[in-house]
Amino acid sequence: SSDLTHILLTASTRTMRQEFLAGLQMFISSAHQAYCYDFVSDWMHSEDAGDIKTIVEYVESELKLPQRFMKLQVADLVETETFPCVNEVILVKLMTEISDHIIDVDTITQTVEKRRTCVWYDDVKNYYEGILQVAKMQAFFKEHSAGFHTVEPAKVWKEYTTEYYIMDTYYREFHKTYSESLKNYHEELSDLFTHVMEKIEGLYTTWFLGQLGNNWSRASADNLREYGRVLEVPQQTDFYRQKVAASDSKVYVIISDAMRYEVAATLAEQLQRETQAKVDLKSMQAIFPTITKFGMAALLPNKVLSVELKSGKTERLAGLADGQSTEAPNRDKLLKAADPASVALKYKDIFGMGLKRADRQALIKGMNVVYIYHDTIDEAGHLESSVFTACDTAIEELKNMVRIIVNEWGGAKIIITSDHGFLYTYSPLTEEDKVDKTTENDQDVEIGRRYAIMQKGTQPQYLLPVKFLDGNTGYDAFAPRENIRIKMKGSGLNFVHGGISLQEMVVPVIEYH
């Protein structure tokens, strides 16, 4: 093994200053540096890389290289790929700095870019990709450290849909790497990564959701109280009329439950990159409360939306379009009433039951309007399983659906949208993040974590009034501010929707030609 130690250390002097290996000169032969470097490099990038890794790790620990490298700077180490411990050392240094509130955006970004092309990267990929998202969040924070102070609601909407939404994406990307990292405990890195995660929670939840949410609540309060909607912003209730009925060609509409705007932005980007199509991402405001039964009703043909009380153990409201039920079994009927050549399908039915191409073709034969309902994100959220992983799955499934529409069905016009978005925070909420609504009241009609519908004339002190369905019901509706939840019995606080936050209310409209 001393021969290999010789070769490995000599190879590493190609990318690392020799003085950093002081005391190990007997293993270094400068004359053979180029030969050793090429030999090691070829081996590391070959089929037998596993063998060399075992040897290299043995040499590292014999020569106590990790302890030696800890005394160096990240810049001294970043070019060296021979020793896997270099990754651990770099990550320990960077994650410790992040935990101590020092986030050097450029160093992190450049380091991750350099290390990505090195061997052994995959073993520690989640940590690197995670801290890269931290750097992006920090850059966003620096750019907006003065906070959010726009007064006009339509302008806040525009800022969110063109720029601010990206913070939700960084947070989602970070948490995907974090949950992946939890699958394999790593002695040096796991605890540090958890500290990094806690740092991010504060930045995202308290600063971003808190401050932007506060700005938005204040900016939109008057519009929401008086009209139940933000003026100058396209409305979900007009979707069918403006996007579907007005179309002069066959339209495919995919409705992905709880696909929030930032997830759709990622999807649009990938569609743009992977296909030759014209892809436009726009937005519209979800109807309030931002929950499935109202959002799905708003996306169907409708002149008037209303509600009826369903009798049962608990009185719950059902959403009606022009007096008809809008629940899943009735949607096909409602579409056909507006245009007989319409059909409502479920994603699961198109891909389930071993359907062949001809069977799928038969589903849409002769149709002008095809609605396809997809439910991967909402399902995961309400099961409290990893909602961010589900967002990725949804993106893949929707791209798959687009491929079928284009390649099998010859579709040229596809609209991908959603019934509502969601708020998600990983960390458990504190008591300050909830408002109390545990005392039941005769005035309550339907209470969710992010909305309350009450008998007309009720005035809860702790909630914002939002005009409910143009005011033509016997009820009033209310929402908590920022990302506050209403305290209720039962679980399910991390993934919520129903409220007025931008994350819940901004609904994507991807137009794919």
Side-chain angles (χ1 to χ4, degrees), residues 407-422:
N407 300 334
E408 289 191 14
W409 296 347
K413 185 172 185 184
I414 305 171
I415 302 173
I416 307 172
T417 186
S418 176
D419 51 349
H420 57 76
F422 63 86

Side-chain angles (χ1 to χ4, degrees), residues 195-409:
H195 286 302
V196 168
M197 181 273 289
E198 286 160 356
K199 178 92 179 55
I200 284 313
E201 290 306 299
L203 183 61
Y204 179 73
T205 307
T206 312
W207 178 73
F208 181 67
L209 290 182
Q211 296 222 6
L212 178 59
N214 187 358
N215 176 216
W216 171 244
S217 300
R218 283 208 303 268
S220 63
D222 291 350
N223 269 197
L224 293 174
R225 186 183 63 246
E226 284 173 50
Y227 310 104
R229 60 193 164 84
V230 178
L231 303 181
E232 294 173 55
V233 166
Q235 294 298 310
Q236 195 179 34
T237 41
D238 299 328
F239 172 78
Y240 184 88
R241 204 164 39 80
Q242 290 176 352
K243 300 284 179 195
V244 183
S247 172
D248 44 14
S249 59
K250 189 165 181 163
V251 191
Y252 292 88
V253 176
I254 308 173
I255 301 170
S256 185
D257 200 321
M259 179 176 62
R260 66 181 181 180
Y261 183 80
E262 61 90 7
V263 177
T266 302
L267 168 61
E269 211 172 284
Q270 293 184 17
L271 283 170
Q272 186 75 71
R273 204 171 51 236
E274 295 164 18
T275 68
Q276 298 312 305
K278 183 173 182 303
V279 182
D280 282 319
L281 173 66
K282 302 185 170 100
S283 68
M284 58 186 178
Q285 185 208 306
I287 191 174
F288 182 81
T290 49
I291 54 176
T292 300
K293 61 184 170 191
F294 292 120
M296 290 300 187
L299 292 166
L300 288 162
N302 68 82
K303 289 186 188 69
V304 179
L305 293 177
S306 59
V307 287
E308 67 176 351
L309 268 185
K310 294 203 284 198
S311 57
K313 280 198 189 69
T314 53
E315 287 189 315
R316 305 287 280 179
L317 297 171
L320 307 178
D322 304 337
Q324 303 283 317
S325 159
T326 56
E327 285 181 23
N330 215 36
R331 289 172 194 161
D332 189 65
K333 190 176 133 187
L334 288 171
L335 287 169
K336 282 179 165 60
D339 177 348
S342 302
V343 66
L345 303 170
K346 284 197 187 76
Y347 175 85
K348 282 182 175 151
D349 296 342
I350 297 170
F351 284 95
M353 314 171 313
L355 282 191
K356 294 186 185 62
R357 191 171 176 143
D359 304 328
R360 285 200 289 266
Q361 199 86 41
L363 295 170
I364 53 106
K365 196 171 159 43
M367 298 300 169
N368 293 327
V369 174
V370 179
Y371 266 47
I372 299 161
Y373 291 91
H374 173 261
D375 187 22
T376 297
I377 300 173
D378 200 62
E379 210 168 39
H382 290 295
L383 293 169
E384 290 287 306
S385 61
S386 174
V387 75
F388 288 154
T389 313
C391 291
D392 265 12
T393 308
I395 287 171
E396 288 309 316
E397 290 174 350
L398 293 166
K399 288 196 299 194
N400 204 9
M401 191 65 244
V402 167
R403 277 194 288 272
I404 293 239
I405 294 172
V406 174
N407 300 334
E408 289 191 14
W409 296 347

Side-chain angles (χ1 to χ4, degrees), residues 152-171:
E152 305 87 350
K155 216 164 154 192
V156 183
W157 186 278
K158 188 167 194 290
E159 288 165 348
Y160 179 75
T161 52
T162 52
E163 191 192 347
Y164 300 165
Y165 75 85
I166 197 73
M167 193 69 162
D168 295 319
T169 305
Y170 297 153
Y171 182 74

